[in-house]
Amino acid sequence: QAQNLKQQQEELQITNEELEEQTQALEMKNKEVEAARADIELKTKQLELSSRYKSEFLANMSHELRTPLNSLLILSKDLSENKRKNLTEEQVESADIIYRSGHDLLVLINEVLDLSKIEAGKMTLHVENIAVQYLLDEINRNFRHQAERKGLLFKIVCDKDVPAYIKTDEQRLNQILKNLLSNAIKFTAAGNIGVKVSTHGANRLAIEISDTGIGIPEEKQMAVFEAFQQADGGTSRKYGGTGLGLSISRELARLLHAEIKLDSKLNEGSTFTLIIPTDLSTNAEAQEVQIKEHRTNHKTPVAINNEFINYPTIDDDRKSLQEDDKVVLIIEDDLKFAGILFKQAHNKGFKCIAAATGEDGLILAQKYCPHAIILDIDLPGIDGHMLLMELKSKPATRHIPVHIISAEERSLKPIKEGAVSYINKPVEKKQLEEAFNRIENFIDRKMKNLLIIEDDANSRKAMKTLIGNGDVKCVEAGSGEEALKLFTDNHIDCIVLDIGLPDMSGFDLIHRLNEIKKDMPPIVVYTGRELSREENDELQKYAESIIIKGVKSEERLLDETALFLHRTISNLPETKQHMIASLYDRETVFQSKKVLLVDDDMRNVFALSKILKERGMQVVKAENGINALEMLEANQDVSIVLMDIMMPEMDGYEAMRRIRAKEQFTRLPIIALTAKAMKDDKQKCIDAGATDYISKPVDVERLLTLMRVWLSK
């Protein structure tokens, strides 16, 4: 027993020693795991720091590249336009080449930034309804002439079972297709380019882009999707390009939960197939991505017009218009309701053209100059209010009567801006008939009646001479009672009213006129009296326009009455056309205005100063935020500020915050100029106090348009 016990003790001791060894080994492994975890944490922090440095580098690089590019593009564009006609054809061509080369460089910078944004996970998606036919028309419009210029046959095929709409990010999808088609044309010297759209299993679409170009050998087919790679290093010299297009396309396809397949044979051609979900918003993974759903959702396929400009609409009559047709333009994004309006217009003998967005509507109005426009307010793109202002600010379209039919609550704002009527949705059949009857009567009645209510006979005579032109019959009243009788006995289209009358005030007269007819014609108040704030507010409820007699008041009276009587400006005598044109001279808004230009790069300051001085502006310059604040204190009559963001000593963000902190500058327009390297630059500018924002290199026309808007306000 003693011997057995001794043996057990020895075994137990051996076991304990083994356990101790295992414990020591486990402790060693734990230490190794802990060291590995610490190493991973350190590497994660280093990666985060590296990512932050990369983002900062991108922002700085973008600024450093775009800043010299900005002045290069502005000045070369200015030279290529040769406004002073003092350059030879060769010099103009040289300036144009500089501009185009600079633009190519900008495209390259944008590609590098796009790739970096995708890698950093900073690219967001905006999902919306897109008509497949719209995509194909865009492809046809953008690439057919490029292919035909190289002598290539360009063909687009779409299978019948392809859905009318898909839900995806239009901008990213277009970017992929543009890259694939540009490559197909670039690498094809002879033969054809084909685009085919078909279904690919359940809820997926296949877009094939094929060519008969140089092709890609099998061993290089994966490499072409890597950044800065081309199938053959020699091709980059022959064909140009960075090799970023396919890499960006592949990454964008992943974002859209799509894939790109390649089938190619050397010297025979290539086929790239993009397989994309028909509804990205239902994808579970896509819910994690920032998604903006488009407001319009057309579930039922409708007859789509392939001649639309930016967005699909109903089939209309634009191809069958004759010179003597009565034409109505319908601007409505609800295609079913647009179809109802179309039928009603046909029943009344009108021909119809249609648009589903404000942008398309504006283009069609300018192109076809219809007899009337039916307008929805809540439109994709620019809304009805903005469109109405655009129509009424252009001499070619401001005479066209606009009838509002909208779900938005009825307001006087569109009427004051020149609309003839406002009907709320849902619309009854009787209301529609009345609306079209009004349109018909307005077109048929060539003579318009203007009631002038003014106690001074000489003033009435002067107004008649100013306004009258054969298509307007002026009815005169020297007192309130006389005006009431004329208003009751005649159909009046517009009223010009002086509020100082011998027998009653203009305010009382407006109230009594309103009692006689609920559908009041537009009233233009034309008075020499300065109005108090209370009087002005009271008049604003009823009057479409208030003109105080003084500088440019005659021009404004002619203009306002022409607007509300829907007169065609080109039919007026030349002298009166010039009077109205002077009010709408796009450059007069800049005359003698003072602009503060804040930028640390003297090349930019020189380029922008030249452009602004040519338009009659006084330019005050500042090289950083601190200097800008000093200049503002010394020039308190500055009308607008152009603020660069990245500057030494004090950047644009801090400068804008300091400016907004001063009470006298709270409403001063500030347009931020930034390199737009990161996605939240715009919001940061607005939060800091910018009124608006434009990215570098600055598009001069866009900048001038923004300045016109804010200087006008």
Side-chain angles (χ1 to χ4, degrees), residues 69-80:
L69 196 56
N70 184 51
S71 47
L72 185 145
L73 287 174
I74 290 171
L75 292 173
S76 58
K77 182 70 173 170
D78 188 53
L79 285 171
S80 69

Side-chain angles (χ1 to χ4, degrees), residues 135 205 254 278 339 343 579 639:
L135 275 177
L205 210 64
R254 283 175 182 164
T278 54
K343 284 180 185 173
M579 286 175 75
S639 303

Side-chain angles (χ1 to χ4, degrees), residues 504-704:
M504 65 179 76
S505 75
F507 299 96
D508 292 335
L509 177 59
I510 289 172
H511 288 300
R512 289 184 64 179
L513 290 170
N514 202 36
E515 287 169 8
I516 296 170
K517 289 180 186 174
K518 291 298 176 191
D519 286 332
M520 282 277 285
I523 299 173
V524 178
V525 172
Y526 188 60
T527 181
R529 193 178 117 192
E530 284 295 330
L531 300 172
S532 69
R533 188 170 179 175
E534 291 76 18
E535 287 175 328
N536 189 71
D537 290 346
E538 179 68 18
L539 280 175
Q540 288 283 1
K541 294 176 187 174
Y542 302 99
E544 271 61 32
S545 181
I546 299 170
I547 302 169
I548 307 297
K549 292 173 185 175
V551 178
K552 293 272 185 187
S553 59
E554 284 194 348
E555 287 90 336
R556 281 198 61 205
L557 179 63
L558 177 62
D559 181 50
E560 295 290 341
T561 53
L563 170 64
F564 294 118
L565 291 168
H566 307 282
R567 301 174 81 182
T568 307
I569 304 299
S570 57
N571 291 342
L572 296 176
E574 203 169 317
T575 53
K576 293 180 182 179
Q577 287 185 44
H578 286 317
M579 286 175 75
I580 292 175
S582 70
L583 290 172
Y584 292 91
D585 185 352
R586 287 155 59 86
E587 303 302 317
T588 53
V589 73
F590 298 118
Q591 289 297 320
S592 304
K593 295 280 187 359
K594 197 176 276 189
V595 55
L596 173 60
L597 181 54
V598 190
D599 199 318
D600 63 319
D601 191 293
M602 285 303 108
R603 294 166 296 185
N604 272 350
V605 171
F606 172 76
L608 284 173
S609 295
K610 184 175 183 292
I611 299 294
L612 298 173
K613 282 177 181 175
E614 282 176 358
R615 282 156 178 79
M617 296 195 84
Q618 298 175 43
V619 180
V620 180
K621 300 167 190 173
E623 60 193 26
N624 57 49
I626 295 169
N627 194 208
L629 295 170
E630 292 168 359
M631 287 297 178
L632 262 185
E633 285 298 327
N635 299 272
Q636 302 222 355
D637 57 340
V638 163
S639 303
I640 193 165
V641 177
L642 303 182
M643 179 72 72
D644 187 29
I645 297 301
M646 295 181 76
M647 296 181 293
E649 296 189 55
M650 183 190 288
D651 66 16
Y653 297 124
E654 182 59 28
M656 289 190 289
R657 288 188 200 101
R658 298 267 188 101
I659 291 169
R660 291 300 184 217
K662 300 189 178 193
E663 192 177 343
Q664 69 268 39
F665 299 132
T666 52
R667 296 175 66 83
L668 176 67
I670 303 175
I671 298 176
L673 313 176
T674 174
K676 197 188 177 184
M678 309 318 289
K679 65 171 185 176
D680 55 352
D681 274 4
K682 180 173 183 178
Q683 195 54 49
K684 281 168 72 177
C685 291
I686 301 299
D687 292 344
T691 320
D692 220 317
Y693 162 101
I694 189 168
S695 61
K696 287 181 177 179
V698 173
D699 180 334
V700 172
E701 280 309 313
R702 185 160 175 264
L703 175 64
L704 292 174

Side-chain angles (χ1 to χ4, degrees), residues 125-187:
L125 294 181
H126 302 278
V127 175
E128 57 188 328
N129 259 350
I130 307 167
V132 173
Q133 187 61 51
Y134 165 60
L135 275 177
L136 297 180
D137 279 8
E138 279 289 289
I139 289 169
N140 188 50
R141 185 160 46 241
N142 293 331
F143 292 98
R144 179 174 291 280
H145 70 282
Q146 290 182 34
E148 289 174 350
R149 202 184 301 145
K150 285 188 74 174
L152 305 173
L153 182 67
F154 191 77
K155 191 176 181 184
I156 297 176
V157 176
C158 183
D159 287 357
K160 289 181 180 178
D161 57 349
V162 167
Y165 294 88
I166 61 171
K167 268 192 174 181
T168 190
D169 184 310
E170 182 184 345
Q171 183 188 347
R172 308 303 171 203
L173 176 57
N174 273 330
Q175 201 171 343
I176 296 169
L177 296 177
K178 182 183 173 187
N179 281 336
L180 296 178
L181 277 158
S182 297
N183 278 351
I185 293 170
K186 180 163 73 170
F187 294 111

Side-chain angles (χ1 to χ4, degrees), residues 459-479:
S459 292
R460 292 200 302 273
K461 187 177 178 183
M463 278 189 262
K464 275 182 71 174
T465 305
L466 176 71
I467 296 164
N469 184 46
D471 61 334
V472 174
K473 180 184 175 185
C474 294
V475 186
E476 300 175 50
S479 66

